[in-house]
Amino acid sequence: MTATEQRPLDVIVLAAGAGTRMKSDLPKVLHPVAGRPMVGWAVKAARSLGARQVVVVTGHGAERVEAALAGEGVTFARQDQQLGTGHAFLCGAQQLPGDGDVLVLYGDTPLLSEDTLRGLLQDHRAEGSAMTVLTGELPDATGYGRIIRDETGGVLRIVEEKAASPEEKAVREFNSGVYVMDARAPELAARIGNDNPAQEYYLTDLLELYRTEGGAVRAFKLADPDEVMGANDRRQLADAEAVMRRRITQNLMREGVTIQAPDTVRIEDTVQIGRDVVLEPGVILTGETVIEPGAVIGAYSVVGSSRIASGAVIRAHSVLEQASVGRGADVGPFARLRPGTMLGESVHIGNFVETKNARLDQGVKAGHLAYLGDVTIGQETNVGAGTIVANFDGVNKHQSQVGAGVFIGSNSTLIAPRTVGDAAFIAAGSAVHQDVPEGAMAVARGRQRNLEGWSRRYWGGLREKVDVKLPWLSGWLRKD
Ligand code: UD1
Ligand code: CA
């Protein structure tokens, strides 16, 4: 490693602009791409480069932007009036120690890859440049500042669209707005003026200032100009989302994840997925979700900040939020696991079962139509169809415990707080309002009476109607 490679890196993220084309109450840089606010992508990239300090320059919607980045270990510089990129840079540069390289990023270009930035930095350091501009090439670079070079290919200056001559406008190489500079940048940027038609302080003027100071200026060209595609309106936001989605799914597939219909799934970059996981069409995975090797996520399931252990199967149309699913468990279709759900190994949750703050130990089965809230259930317990844990008394939520090896008959209600001992039985249709001891059978429902001959007496008074509508029954009534 050479001495230059050890220079610390500081990053300034420009994020004070208004973003009016987004037509939104949310500041532009907080619009999410693949679940992360755009400015968050810039901060993440900065971190991945090992930045010593990250300064985010805020202005429009400053409070909200700062709140969204609280806890990310960045500092903020307020730019109260947006007087141009040069001015924004100076606002941020005041916080820098002044002895490292300085990288400038924008808060609204989420697609810029860490690989590209590493390439830029490496070029800057290897060439011993004073300033390196990240550039791209497009058939039509309208809107961007153009890179003007001399006969030998050396970079001379950047000319903004508004000030460009027809020949300059024909230049296809454009300024991405991303630069890396040596530690003199803040001092030189202080000399930028606003003597231009827009009366803005252009950070691009720094390039000529470096040149007059005798610093070497270079351009580093992007392989894919889409990486610096800004998301200025909702259409571009959707384009950015699509590019990011494709990037994420392709990475996952490279790592051994099967994605049956990659264009239909949405996976946030915070999600971790192991080998041989199968994602069926329409799956949405968000937040801090972890899916261990070999699990299957069924079609149109939505999994947020949950952990799915190896070999578990989540069947179609299930919705999980802050849940954990044990090895080999089988969930859904149409299951809903709400926050605080912990399913042990080989648990079976069937259709239309809702759980919340519920721990179901190994081998518990709740196959159909149940609500299990604020409850722990011991291993191998069978929860019958239609079981409800009535955890709410209108004011408070109450906690219940069900033991291991219990059989809860269908359509039972456990009125919380309730304790049911190991190996107990609960008769179907019970409203359980007392605790059930270990090994007992609880029957908590009205005793059945059979009123012999009742049907014949009832229909007898309605013979006419039965005749017209129910031919089988009228035949039965005529028999003796
Ligand atoms: C800038 C460059 C242009 C380049 C283009 C790439 C200048 C003078 N021009 O143009 O050469 O091709 O980016 O996209 O730099 N910002 C602030 N405070 C300000 C002004 C801007 O924080 O006072 C932020 C914006 O929020 C945005 C970024 O800086 O994230 C770029 O600003 P923008 O107005 O979009 O620059 P352009 O005029 O497009
Ligand atoms: Ca712009």
Side-chain angles (χ1 to χ4, degrees):
M1 193 181 269
T2 68
T4 51
E5 280 174 313
Q6 286 164 343
R7 276 203 306 265
L9 178 73
D10 298 312
V11 178
I12 296 184
V13 180
L14 306 187
T20 45
R21 278 179 288 164
M22 205 59 100
K23 301 221 167 86
S24 177
D25 292 338
L26 189 68
K28 172 164 91 169
V29 296
L30 290 187
H31 280 265
V33 168
R36 188 187 291 276
M38 288 197 274
V39 66
W41 284 100
V43 171
K44 180 173 185 254
R47 287 271 169 265
S48 84
L49 297 169
R52 171 177 61 178
Q53 195 178 346
V54 180
V55 184
V56 180
V57 180
T58 60
H60 278 276
E63 288 87 4
R64 291 179 74 179
V65 175
E66 291 167 13
L69 292 174
E72 298 264 356
V74 304
T75 60
F76 301 101
R78 286 278 178 103
Q79 187 197 24
D80 294 320
Q81 269 185 298
Q82 279 66 61
L83 303 178
T85 48
H87 178 254
F89 175 80
L90 264 187
C91 291
Q94 276 158 19
Q95 298 193 12
L96 299 185
D99 61 344
D101 285 333
V102 186
L103 173 70
V104 176
L105 299 174
Y106 289 174
D108 62 355
T109 53
L111 298 175
L112 190 54
S113 74
E114 290 163 13
D115 282 351
T116 295
L117 288 173
R118 261 189 282 279
L120 171 73
L121 268 180
Q122 208 205 326
D123 182 274
H124 178 76
R125 288 170 174 174
E127 298 290 332
S129 305
M131 175 173 186
T132 309
V133 189
L134 182 67
T135 68
E137 201 167 305
L138 284 172
D140 175 3
T142 302
Y144 285 109
R146 309 296 207 286
I147 304 298
I148 308 304
R149 293 176 183 259
D150 63 19
E151 319 77 54
T152 64
V155 179
L156 287 178
R157 60 199 168 88
I158 299 170
V159 56
E160 290 304 293
E161 173 83 24
K162 281 181 203 146
S165 67
E167 302 85 72
E168 288 168 335
K169 282 184 178 157
V171 171
R172 292 146 51 118
E173 189 180 10
F174 67 91
N175 170 29
S176 72
V178 171
Y179 325 90
V180 58
M181 297 156 296
D182 67 21
R184 284 175 292 168
E187 180 193 317
L188 292 176
R191 284 157 47 185
I192 294 173
N194 66 346
D195 184 17
N196 54 57
Q199 293 209 306
E200 279 189 24
Y201 295 86
Y202 287 162
L203 185 54
T204 45
D205 288 352
L206 200 54
L207 201 146
E208 282 177 279
L209 285 166
Y210 265 113
R211 281 186 354 102
T212 45
E213 289 295 310
V217 175
R218 269 172 64 85
F220 179 81
K221 217 184 255 181
L222 279 160
D224 174 9
D226 275 357
E227 283 196 18
V228 291
M229 182 179 93
N232 296 300
D233 58 26
R234 309 279 179 152
R235 203 178 45 79
Q236 291 176 337
L237 187 66
D239 289 346
E241 179 82 30
V243 171
M244 193 67 89
R245 186 164 59 223
R246 203 173 152 72
R247 234 184 241 176
I248 290 172
T249 53
Q250 291 197 340
N251 273 338
L252 289 168
M253 291 188 285
R254 255 196 300 278
E255 299 297 320
V257 176
T258 293
I259 306 182
Q260 293 175 343
D263 290 342
T264 68
V265 303
R266 188 171 165 275
I267 304 168
E268 294 183 357
D269 87 308
T270 42
V271 173
Q272 295 172 46
I273 309 183
R275 283 163 74 114
D276 291 319
V277 164
V278 175
L279 304 181
E280 293 180 4
V283 162
I284 297 176
L285 306 175
T286 63
E288 307 302 316
T289 291
V290 177
I291 303 179
E292 292 180 359
V296 177
I297 312 296
Y300 306 101
S301 291
V302 180
V303 181
S305 296
S306 295
R307 173 173 283 272
I308 315 290
S310 285
V313 178
I314 309 296
R315 298 183 193 279
H317 296 282
S318 294
V319 178
L320 285 71
E321 183 66 36
Q322 292 170 48
S324 88
V325 174
R327 294 173 76 91
D330 174 12
V331 173
F334 298 100
R336 176 155 188 230
L337 309 187
R338 291 170 52 202
T341 295
M342 288 188 295
L343 306 184
E345 212 173 304
S346 306
V347 165
H348 169 61
I349 295 287
N351 42 216
F352 307 108
V353 172
E354 174 182 346
T355 61
K356 186 217 73 174
N357 185 27
R359 199 193 79 216
L360 276 56
D361 292 345
Q362 179 170 358
V364 168
K365 290 185 168 58
H368 337 257
L369 302 159
Y371 172 62
L372 308 174
D374 300 310
V375 65
T376 61
I377 304 181
Q379 56 183 299
E380 291 171 26
T381 284
N382 185 89
V383 178
T387 296
I388 304 289
V389 178
N391 59 332
F392 185 52
D393 63 9
V395 182
N396 294 306
K397 300 276 171 63
H398 299 282
Q399 185 71 34
S400 296
Q401 285 96 34
V402 176
V406 172
F407 185 94
I408 304 178
S410 292
N411 207 35
S412 295
T413 304
L414 301 188
I415 299 162
R418 203 81 293 135
T419 299
V420 177
D422 292 342
F425 272 79
I426 293 173
S430 289
V432 180
H433 57 98
Q434 292 169 23
D435 289 348
V436 182
E438 180 176 346
M441 164 65 144
V443 185
R445 63 187 185 212
R447 187 173 285 278
Q448 182 171 337
R449 293 186 298 155
N450 292 335
L451 306 180
E452 293 291 340
W454 190 92
S455 174
R456 193 171 287 279
R457 290 196 293 282
Y458 173 75
W459 289 117
L462 300 168
R463 191 169 299 270
E464 219 171 273
K465 272 191 181 162
V466 176
D467 246 342
V468 179
K469 295 248 169 103
L470 303 167
W472 181 89
L473 190 58
S474 9
W476 179 83
L477 286 169
R478 274 195 294 273
K479 276 193 295 188
D480 213 355

